[in-house]
Amino acid sequence: MAPLTTLLYALSITSALGSSVSESSKPFSQEFRDNYSVLKHYGGNGPYSERRSYGIDRDPPASCAVDQVIMIKRHGERYPSPSLGAGIEKTLSKLDPKTKYQGDLAFFNDWSYYVPNKCLYNAETSSGPYAGLLDGYTHGTEYRARYGHLWDGDAIVPMWSSGYGRVIETARKFGEGFFGYNYSTNAALNIISESESMGANSLTPVCYANRDSATCDGLSNTMPQFKVAAERLNAQNPGLDLNATDVYYLMSMASFELNARASSKWIDVFTQDEWVSFGYVHDLNYYYCAGPGDKSMSAVGSVYANASLTLLNEGPQKTNPLFFNFAHDTNITPILAALGLLTPEEDLPLDRIPFGNPYSTGDIVPQGGHFTIERLSCDKTAISDAGSYVRLVLNEAVVPFHQCTSGPGYSCPLEEYTTIVKGRLPDFVGQCKVPHKDPKSLNFWWKYNSTTELNYRNGSVPCQEAEAQR
Ligand SMILES: *[C@@H]1O[C@H](CO)[C@@H](O)[C@H](O)[C@H]1NC(C)=O
Ligand SMILES: *[C@@H]1O[C@H](CO)[C@@H](O)[C@H](O)[C@H]1NC(C)=O
Ligand SMILES: *[C@@H]1O[C@H](CO)[C@@H](O)[C@H](O)[C@H]1NC(C)=O
Ligand SMILES: *[C@@H]1O[C@H](CO)[C@@H](O)[C@H](O)[C@H]1NC(C)=O
Ligand SMILES: *[C@@H]1O[C@H](CO)[C@@H](O)[C@H](O)[C@H]1NC(C)=O
Ligand SMILES: *[C@@H]1O[C@H](CO)[C@@H](O)[C@H](O)[C@H]1NC(C)=O
C-alpha cells in the first residue's frame, strides 16, 4: 500500500497536469472544415440534420415562455420510392456481381442492396441509427421535454396526419414519444385524406388549375460533374459503361442507404464536389417544382399560413396549445414560400451553382424535416413590451421573419407578424380554382375527432403502401 504522502503527491501531480492541459486546449474549436457534411448535399433523400442558421438561441429568452406550438413535420427517413427504386435497379444491373471491381468500387462484391424486398419501397425505415421510425419517436420525446408544459397530463390532444402510409406511421411514433405511457389514451390521431377533393381543408392542398411548372418539367437530373464521376469509375474498371444518369441513381442510392444502415461505402465513391452538385439538382427541383420558383406554390402554402395565423391570434385558451401535423416535404416548401422565408432574390440559375444560395434543401427538408411556429408570451423587457410574439423554427434553428426581429430572441410581435402575413397571402381558392363543391378553408384544427381509434394501425403494411386511411 502506498503511504498517504505518496498518494497525495500523485494526486497533486494529476491535478497540476489536468489544469495545464485545459489551459492549452481550446474552449472553442477553430475547425469548421468549411461546414461540409454530406448530410447537407443529398437534397431531401437522406437522414435528418438540424438546420445551419444564424446562431440565435433555440430556447426563448428568460422573459418569455412558449404558449402555443404549430408544427408540420415531414415523414421520417424512408426507403426510395418505387420509381426511384426502378432507376436504381436499372443502374445496378450494369454492375455484374461476378466481376471483381477495382478502385472506388472495390467494395462492390461484398456489398448488397439495402432494400431486401421491393415491398419496402415507399416505407419508413426501421433499422440503423437513422431509422425513420426512430426519428419520429425521438422527436416526440424531445418535444415532450421542450413543450411538455403545454399538456396538463389529462386532456385528450388531437394530432393530424395526411393520409399516406409513412406519414401516418411517423405521426404515431411521434405521438408515442411525446405522450409516452399516455399515448393510447390521450392522443387522438386524425387522418386527413390527401384527396384533391379536400380542397383547402387539407395538409396536402394542390393547385392543378394554375401550375407554373414549365421550368420544373424541363429540369435534368444530371450535372456536368456526374460525367467526370462516370468517366473515373469506367476508367478504373474496363468494360464498365456508366453514364451521368447512372451516377445520379448511384448517388441517390447512396444517400438513401444511410436511412437503413449505419454506414454507406457508396458515399465515398463520389467526391465532395460531386455531392455539392448532387445537392443542387435537388435545390432546383424543390425550388421550381414545390417552392417559390413555381408561382402557384405560394397560394398552396397560404392555406396553412393563413389558418395558423388564425390559431396564433386566437391563442391557446380559445383552441389548443399543441398542433402537431404530419405531411410531406413538398407540403412544407409551399408554406415557406407563402411566408416568404428563404426565397432567393433571383430565380435559381440552371447553368451554374449560385454559391451562398439560401434555398439549400439539406437545411430545409431533409427526411424528418419540420417547421415549427412558436407563440411566445413575454414579459416587458428593456427593449420590448409585454405581449405575444412569434418565432419560426426550421429544423430546430430559429429563422428570423423578414425584418421583424424587434422582440425578445429576435422574435416578431404577433400584431406585426399578422399584418405582414395578411399582406402577402394570395387567394388559394381563386388562384387554384378550387371546385365549388370542395372545402374552401382549413377547418380540421377546429373540428376534429377526440377518439383514439386511429392511434394504432389495424393490420399489416401493404406492399409499397402510398395513400392510406388507417
Ligand atoms: C455554415 O453554413 C451556414 C449555412 O450555409 C453559413 O451561414 C455559415 O456561414 C457557415 N459557417 C461556416 C463557419 O462556414
Ligand atoms: C398517464 O400514464 C401514467 C403512467 O402509466 C398514469 O399514471 C396516468 O394515470 C396516465 N394519465 C392519464 C390521463 O391517463
Ligand atoms: C373521425 O372519426 C370518424 C368515426 O370514427 C371517422 O370515420 C373519420 O375518418 C375520423 N376523421 C378523421 C379526420 O380522422
Ligand atoms: C445512360 O444510360 C441509360 C441506359 O442504361 C440511358 O437510359 C440514359 O439515357 C443514359 N444517360 C445519358 C445521360 O446518356
Ligand atoms: C383564413 O382562415 C380563416 C380561418 O382559419 C378562414 O375563415 C378564411 O377563409 C381563410 N382565408 C383564406 C383567404 O383562406
Ligand atoms: C381491424 O380490421 C378488421 C378487418 O378489417 C375488423 O374486423 C376489426 O374490427 C378491426 N379492429 C379494430 C380494433 O378496429
Side-chain angles (χ1 to χ4, degrees):
M1 236 176 52
L4 187 61
T5 45
T6 319
L7 208 74
L8 286 175
Y9 177 72
L11 279 174
S12 75
I13 293 271
T14 316
S15 77
L17 278 177
S19 69
S20 78
V21 164
S22 79
E23 262 159 45
S24 70
S25 74
K26 293 170 177 169
F28 301 102
S29 168
Q30 290 175 294
E31 189 180 66
F32 284 89
R33 299 172 22 156
D34 203 11
N35 244 344
Y36 182 81
S37 163
V38 73
L39 298 188
K40 292 299 179 195
H41 299 284
Y42 46 54
N45 289 353
Y48 175 74
S49 62
E50 290 181 350
R51 177 178 171 74
R52 297 167 299 176
S53 223
Y54 310 105
I56 298 171
D57 196 341
R58 172 66 179 90
D59 296 329
S63 60
C64 303
V66 175
D67 71 3
Q68 192 177 40
V69 176
I70 309 165
M71 176 195 79
I72 181 164
K73 178 175 168 72
R74 182 189 184 194
H75 55 76
E77 290 76 356
R78 62 171 171 88
Y79 289 103
S81 65
S83 60
L84 180 63
I88 291 172
E89 288 177 34
K90 193 170 157 210
T91 289
L92 280 180
S93 72
K94 290 189 172 179
L95 289 154
D96 173 12
K98 289 191 283 298
T99 303
K100 182 80 195 85
Y101 287 100
Q102 309 292 325
D104 295 327
L105 294 178
F107 70 94
F108 181 75
N109 303 83
D110 301 318
W111 178 86
S112 61
Y113 190 29
Y114 53 88
V115 187
N117 185 328
K118 284 186 196 188
C119 275
L120 290 170
Y121 282 141
N122 259 344
E124 200 84 344
T125 56
S126 58
S127 61
Y130 303 112
L133 294 176
L134 181 62
D135 172 329
Y137 189 85
T138 306
H139 188 187
T141 62
E142 287 167 4
Y143 267 29
R144 176 62 177 271
R146 182 173 283 287
Y147 299 124
H149 66 285
L150 298 177
W151 181 51
D152 64 5
D154 202 36
I156 294 186
V157 181
M159 306 199 306
W160 295 267
S161 170
S162 73
Y164 202 94
R166 61 178 178 252
V167 177
I168 299 172
E169 295 315 322
T170 300
R172 287 173 173 148
K173 282 290 167 235
F174 177 95
E176 287 184 52
F178 188 90
F179 293 99
Y181 298 124
N182 302 106
Y183 175 69
S184 59
T185 51
N186 288 79
L189 185 61
N190 284 246
I191 298 177
I192 311 298
S193 164
E194 294 197 347
S195 160
E196 193 191 344
S197 66
M198 294 297 287
N201 195 24
S202 174
L203 284 167
T204 57
V206 287
C207 193
Y208 291 135
N210 213 353
R211 283 292 306 278
D212 165 27
S213 59
T215 311
C216 166
D217 296 342
L219 289 175
S220 159
N221 59 8
T222 67
M223 293 280 280
Q225 283 77 6
F226 297 2
K227 287 188 200 164
V228 179
E231 198 175 65
R232 176 176 67 248
L233 299 175
N234 292 340
Q236 291 170 351
N237 295 282
L240 189 59
D241 187 23
L242 300 175
N243 64 27
T245 311
D246 295 316
V247 167
Y248 168 80
Y249 283 117
L250 291 176
M251 293 181 90
S252 301
M253 183 183 74
S255 46
F256 276 97
E257 183 163 32
L258 285 178
N259 296 349
R261 286 186 177 154
S263 65
S264 170
K265 293 213 159 93
W266 283 101
I267 287 179
D268 298 333
V269 168
F270 304 101
T271 65
Q272 202 169 311
D273 293 0
E274 284 153 10
W275 281 112
V276 167
S277 286
F278 185 78
Y280 192 60
V281 168
H282 293 261
D283 299 347
L284 286 173
N285 210 280
Y286 282 99
Y287 180 80
Y288 285 109
C289 305
D294 174 338
K295 301 295 173 256
S296 73
M297 285 301 155
S298 225
V300 168
S302 74
V303 172
Y304 187 99
N306 171 52
S308 54
L309 186 65
T310 307
L311 288 181
L312 294 169
N313 278 282
E314 287 176 350
Q317 273 78 40
K318 172 95 186 280
T319 45
N320 283 308
L322 295 169
F323 291 85
F324 296 136
N325 304 278
F326 301 85
H328 304 265
D329 48 357
T330 51
N331 308 121
I332 297 176
T333 48
I335 298 168
L336 303 178
L339 293 171
L341 232 51
L342 311 179
T343 302
E345 275 166 23
E346 284 165 27
D347 277 338
L348 297 186
L350 301 174
D351 58 347
R352 66 184 167 87
I353 301 179
F355 290 102
N357 164 29
Y359 212 79
S360 174
T361 316
D363 281 318
I364 305 176
V365 280
Q367 308 265 340
H370 50 277
F371 177 55
T372 307
I373 305 176
E374 290 184 342
R375 196 183 108 127
L376 307 178
S377 164
C378 302
D379 296 335
K380 185 173 166 36
T381 72
I383 57 160
S384 53
D385 294 333
S388 295
Y389 293 82
V390 178
R391 283 220 303 192
L392 305 179
V393 179
L394 184 57
N395 302 324
E396 300 308 301
V398 176
V399 184
F401 185 61
H402 298 278
Q403 277 84 49
C404 186
T405 53
S406 64
Y410 305 101
S411 61
C412 178
L414 175 58
E415 219 174 299
E416 206 174 330
Y417 177 84
T418 304
T419 308
I420 300 174
V421 174
K422 276 206 172 133
R424 52 174 302 125
L425 286 188
D427 166 30
F428 171 69
V429 172
Q431 198 172 322
C432 296
K433 300 193 169 59
V434 174
H436 204 64
K437 60 178 182 13
D438 297 343
K440 306 284 184 302
S441 68
L442 188 162
N443 66 34
F444 53 75
W445 282 339
W446 292 269
K447 288 185 174 15
Y448 52 82
N449 284 345
S450 292
T451 50
T452 57
E453 66 195 277
L454 298 179
N455 286 15
Y456 295 93
R457 172 182 282 273
N458 177 11
S460 58
V461 178
C463 197
Q464 296 183 12
E465 182 177 71
E467 284 204 49
Q469 291 307 321
R470 291 208 68 93

